[in-house]
Amino acid sequence: MFIKRTTRRVGDKEYVNHLLVESVATPDGPRHRTICSLGSLAPAPKEDWQSLAHKLADALGGQTTFVPDTTVVALAASARPTRRRARPPGPAADAISIHADRVELEDVREAGPVHVGHQLWRVLTLDAILAQAGLSARARRLTEVMTLNRLVRPAAEYAMPDWIRRTALADILATDFRTLSDEALYRNLDRLHPQRARIEQALATRERSLFNLDDTLYLYDLTSTYFEGRCPRNPQAQRGYSRDHRPDCKQVVVGLVLDRDGFPKAHEVFDGNRQDRATVAEMLTALEARTERRGGATVVVDRGMAFADTLAQIRARQHHYIVAGRPPERHEHVDAFADETGWTEILRTPSPRNPWQKKTRVFVKQVVRGEEMHILCRSDGRLEKDRAIRDKHERRFLADVGKLQARVARGRLRAPAKIQEALGRLKERYPRVARYYTVTYDEATATVTCTTQTDLKTRAERLDGTYLLRTDRHDLTDEEIWRLYILLTRVEAAFRAMKSPLMERPIFHHLERRVQTHIFLCVLAYHLLVAIEKRFLDQGVHTSWATLREQLSTHQVMTVVLPTTNGQTLRIRKNSAPEDTHREIYRVLQIPSEIMKPLKTWTPTESR
């Protein structure tokens, strides 16, 4: 810092001015920056200017001395800022001096996945839909965070408040969740329960217009979801056929209807011991109420509903059906399956998400049976699967028969009644292959014999890799019918998504209404999931939400703490700069890459 003498001539008179100047480094080299004007210092010796400059700089910075220098005090009081040329506002307008070694980051929160979920929540106008259903602003906020929890990192209600506070949801929703308790979430389940059907109907209408969805094909299937505990207060919790391989647990059955593109249209929760065929009428009623469509659609169902009364219910509502026939129904077409003429070859390519899968060939043939069209199907991949399953069961069956024969021969099992019970358990355990063998016990010789039913086994081997489709539509080719039926795998994929990434199971609730609302939240989360993946598919990108969620986890919101040299601390709450991967995801989803507007707060610097 130093004092610089300047002159300016006006007419015949020369004016002298002295400036307090400091030297600063710039990209173009060192430059002088004027701090203030001191007027004329002509009476002061020039050799004292350097010392005077330092004292004056200290005085202007607010420092005081025990013995004030009257000259310095007078100059500081009279010093005036120099007049500078006006500059346009820019980055330097908010420039501050900071202690670089004391810069910190605080309250770092995961933001990318919840940001995507929130933006798709807005795209589907779910907040407006919930408002039309009569939910308050607070109930809508709680419903959103509970749904996003299922989408991003599912947790039980008692653990959900902590997860919410570990994410950037408070910043995104501008809501304080510091005092949120699990009791508030449980109460919100009760408020949401009576509005489920109304919300589902409005959401289906919104998605149909937003994504231009086809409303002429419905894919219907069921799954089961088990409980932890005895559930004495939930009458729907019953033991039945468990798709989760948990026959030891009580369960409920969930029915789900999707459209051609995989968007949910309706869902229902049934008793855990409800048979598949007994749900069709109730599901069709719910579907018609949600979609407001009466007749004219094609309903695709699996073999568990391939019964005459079930198909009659579909036809009575003016719908068509495509259904997989039950295995015994193939036997009337044994000769047609053996005939090598009339088959149409279809190449089934695996999904780009599963590149390890092989391409398989499927052969289809039409056979007219009265008012129905039967589609005979043979698949190379299914042939290998059927044979592998039967061989495995057959090996285990014969091994257990051998063990039983050894026990009887050694005299370890002698009572005829006990031996007959053992034979019954064998047939119950291996129903797939026990029919091909006759296992008997001869009391006279005390031996167990096993005889192969060659004709039955040969007949079954001829039908390996085959299955049957039935439909009342005669306006479609055999390939078109087969491809419509294969779309049913999208319901299976939906159930896998709800059970794995969305963690629908196991259910820890014990009240019927809360169980139903828990499943409803999983369905809401699946709406968001399928909307996300749909936008990627429309761009020709085959990916999964699980992959996107991991990639987005590194996009965060944080507070940057900047201690300044003037005794204040600046805190800036903002999101981190998105990486190229994040930007591409946001571009495909057509959502902003900025998670929140930066928030700045000033506080006094705390002493350390």
Side-chain angles (χ1 to χ4, degrees):
M1 193 147 329
F2 59 93
I3 294 175
K4 180 179 179 181
R5 181 178 182 274
T6 63
T7 60
R8 186 177 63 169
R9 180 174 293 278
V10 179
D12 296 334
K13 189 173 182 180
E14 185 180 67
Y15 295 90
V16 178
N17 189 32
H18 294 82
L19 306 175
L20 181 62
V21 179
E22 66 176 348
S23 182
V24 295
T26 70
D28 299 324
R31 295 291 185 271
H32 291 169
R33 183 169 66 185
T34 301
I35 298 175
C36 64
S37 174
L38 303 176
S40 175
L41 292 179
K46 188 174 182 179
E47 56 269 18
D48 294 337
W49 285 3
Q50 188 64 37
S51 174
L52 179 63
H54 288 294
K55 293 179 180 180
L56 187 56
D58 292 339
L60 292 173
Q63 295 186 17
T64 60
T65 60
F66 288 108
V67 182
D69 187 326
T70 56
T71 303
V72 173
V73 172
L75 285 174
S78 63
R80 61 185 183 276
T82 58
R83 296 166 59 188
R84 296 186 178 181
R85 188 177 302 170
R87 297 182 180 178
D94 59 351
I96 58 173
S97 298
I98 64 170
H99 296 288
D101 57 341
R102 291 165 57 187
V103 174
E104 295 179 347
L105 297 178
E106 292 180 346
D107 300 329
V108 180
R109 300 288 184 265
E110 182 180 275
V114 293
H115 171 59
V116 167
H118 171 66
Q119 291 297 325
L120 267 295
W121 182 276
R122 297 180 60 187
V123 169
L124 298 180
T125 64
L126 269 163
D127 201 63
I129 291 173
L130 295 178
Q132 292 171 1
L135 295 180
S136 66
R138 175 174 170 78
R140 299 198 299 271
R141 280 286 178 264
L142 293 181
T143 302
E144 179 176 357
V145 298
M146 294 174 77
T147 304
L148 295 185
N149 173 258
R150 308 312 309 176
L151 181 70
V152 178
R153 198 170 300 278
E157 276 72 14
Y158 73 86
M160 206 176 292
D162 289 336
W163 172 83
I164 293 171
R165 288 187 279 266
R166 289 195 302 270
T167 69
L169 280 171
D171 303 288
I172 294 173
L173 301 177
T175 305
D176 188 357
F177 293 111
R178 287 177 294 182
T179 60
L180 179 64
S181 66
D182 57 342
E183 284 299 323
L185 302 179
Y186 287 121
R187 289 193 298 270
N188 194 61
L189 290 176
D190 298 337
R191 284 191 293 267
L192 193 59
H193 179 264
Q195 307 300 332
R196 293 171 299 133
R198 185 175 177 182
I199 294 170
E200 196 166 45
Q201 177 183 357
L203 185 54
T205 302
R206 168 62 178 164
E207 289 171 337
R208 185 168 59 249
S209 61
L210 179 64
F211 296 100
N212 193 25
L213 301 178
D214 175 28
D215 207 21
T216 62
L217 183 73
Y218 296 130
L219 312 169
Y220 176 48
D221 205 355
L222 299 107
T223 190
S224 58
T225 299
Y226 66 90
F227 295 92
E228 292 287 354
R230 294 180 298 174
C231 306
R233 291 182 289 175
N234 185 354
Q236 285 193 317
Q238 303 290 336
R239 285 187 174 86
Y241 171 63
S242 175
R243 280 89 167 172
D244 300 321
H245 308 290
R246 291 299 305 268
D248 58 313
C249 297
K250 290 185 177 181
Q251 64 178 23
V252 292
V253 173
V254 181
L256 181 65
V257 178
L258 304 184
D259 63 15
R260 183 192 298 266
D261 295 285
F263 283 86
K265 292 298 180 183
H267 84 283
E268 286 293 327
V269 181
F270 304 103
D271 294 349
N273 57 1
R274 190 84 168 266
Q275 290 185 340
D276 292 3
R277 59 191 294 188
T279 66
V280 174
E282 190 172 339
M283 196 70 234
L284 288 174
T285 300
L287 177 64
E288 291 176 350
R290 307 287 202 281
T291 61
E292 299 181 349
R293 184 183 182 92
R294 302 291 187 271
T298 299
V299 180
V300 183
V301 292
D302 212 347
R303 60 174 52 90
M305 289 163 271
F307 295 89
D309 57 340
T310 303
L311 302 181
Q313 291 171 357
I314 297 176
R315 292 290 295 149
R317 296 173 184 265
Q318 305 301 313
H319 295 300
H320 300 287
Y321 63 83
I322 298 175
V323 62
R326 287 173 288 122
E329 295 177 356
R330 296 177 299 170
H331 294 304
E332 64 177 284
H333 298 291
V334 171
D335 295 335
F337 276 117
D339 186 0
E340 296 298 329
T341 62
W343 295 93
T344 300
E345 181 179 354
I346 304 172
L347 184 63
R348 184 179 184 182
T349 57
S351 168
R353 300 179 187 173
N354 305 320
W356 60 87
Q357 292 182 348
K358 298 185 300 182
K359 294 181 179 179
T360 57
R361 294 185 305 165
V362 179
F363 298 89
V364 294
K365 179 195 293 189
Q366 284 190 4
V367 177
V368 179
R369 282 291 185 272
E371 296 181 355
E372 281 191 338
M373 181 75 70
H374 287 195
I375 308 298
L376 312 184
C377 307
R378 294 191 313 187
S379 167
D380 294 343
R382 194 176 184 119
L383 174 65
E384 298 174 2
K385 179 180 177 180
D386 287 348
R387 287 181 177 174
I389 291 175
R390 189 178 60 252
D391 289 345
K392 180 183 71 174
H393 284 250
E394 193 171 23
R395 287 194 303 270
R396 292 179 178 178
F397 173 76
L398 293 177
D400 285 353
V401 169
K403 292 177 182 178
L404 178 60
Q405 290 173 329
R407 290 173 63 197
V408 173
R410 293 173 185 173
R412 294 182 178 179
L413 188 62
R414 298 180 179 180
K418 295 292 185 181
I419 295 174
Q420 294 297 337
E421 288 180 8
L423 292 177
R425 284 194 296 270
L426 278 176
K427 294 177 181 180
E428 182 182 11
R429 191 180 307 159
Y430 302 101
R432 185 184 294 268
V433 295
R435 71 190 72 172
Y436 309 136
Y437 295 89
T438 301
V439 185
T440 59
Y441 171 64
D442 187 350
E443 294 187 27
T445 60
T447 57
V448 175
T449 59
C450 180
T451 306
T452 305
Q453 299 292 322
T454 306
D455 293 343
L456 292 178
K457 188 176 180 181
T458 302
R459 188 178 184 182
E461 290 174 347
R462 292 174 60 188
L463 292 175
D464 281 345
T466 66
Y467 54 97
L468 173 68
L469 304 181
R470 299 167 52 190
T471 181
D472 64 338
R473 293 193 62 172
H474 293 260
D475 59 324
L476 301 176
T477 66
D478 45 6
E479 180 175 352
E480 289 173 332
I481 294 172
W482 178 84
R483 292 195 179 279
L484 289 178
Y485 172 75
I486 289 300
L487 290 177
L488 198 61
T489 57
R490 295 188 175 178
V491 189
E492 299 171 358
F495 287 140
R496 285 194 299 271
M498 289 173 61
K499 290 182 177 183
S500 296
L502 304 184
M503 294 297 288
E504 179 194 56
R505 63 179 185 184
I507 300 176
F508 295 94
H509 296 285
H510 297 290
L511 297 179
E512 180 179 356
R513 66 179 184 276
R514 289 183 177 175
V515 169
Q516 293 175 351
T517 312
H518 165 82
I519 294 173
F520 174 67
L521 287 176
C522 293
V523 174
L524 276 187
Y526 186 71
H527 277 275
L528 298 177
L529 185 152
V530 73
I532 292 169
E533 294 185 352
K534 168 69 173 173
R535 287 203 162 174
F536 275 87
L537 287 173
D538 290 343
Q539 296 290 322
V541 180
H542 295 263
T543 188
S544 67
W545 166 242
T547 300
L548 297 174
R549 183 177 59 190
E550 291 301 318
Q551 293 173 339
L552 290 165
S553 63
T554 54
H555 198 193
Q556 301 173 331
V557 164
M558 64 197 69
T559 299
V560 184
V561 183
L562 303 171
T564 64
T565 57
N566 64 359
Q568 298 286 311
T569 297
L570 174 61
R571 282 179 166 81
I572 305 177
R573 186 73 175 163
K574 62 179 299 185
N575 56 266
S576 62
E579 302 170 6
D580 292 342
T581 303
H582 305 152
R583 293 184 186 278
E584 180 60 18
I585 293 173
Y586 298 147
R587 184 194 66 80
V588 173
L589 293 177
Q590 304 170 29
I591 63 176
S593 59
E594 184 181 53
I595 295 175
M596 61 175 295
K597 296 291 185 181
L599 300 176
K600 301 178 182 180
T601 57
W602 286 91
T603 58
T605 301
E606 298 179 359
S607 59
R608 296 193 173 186

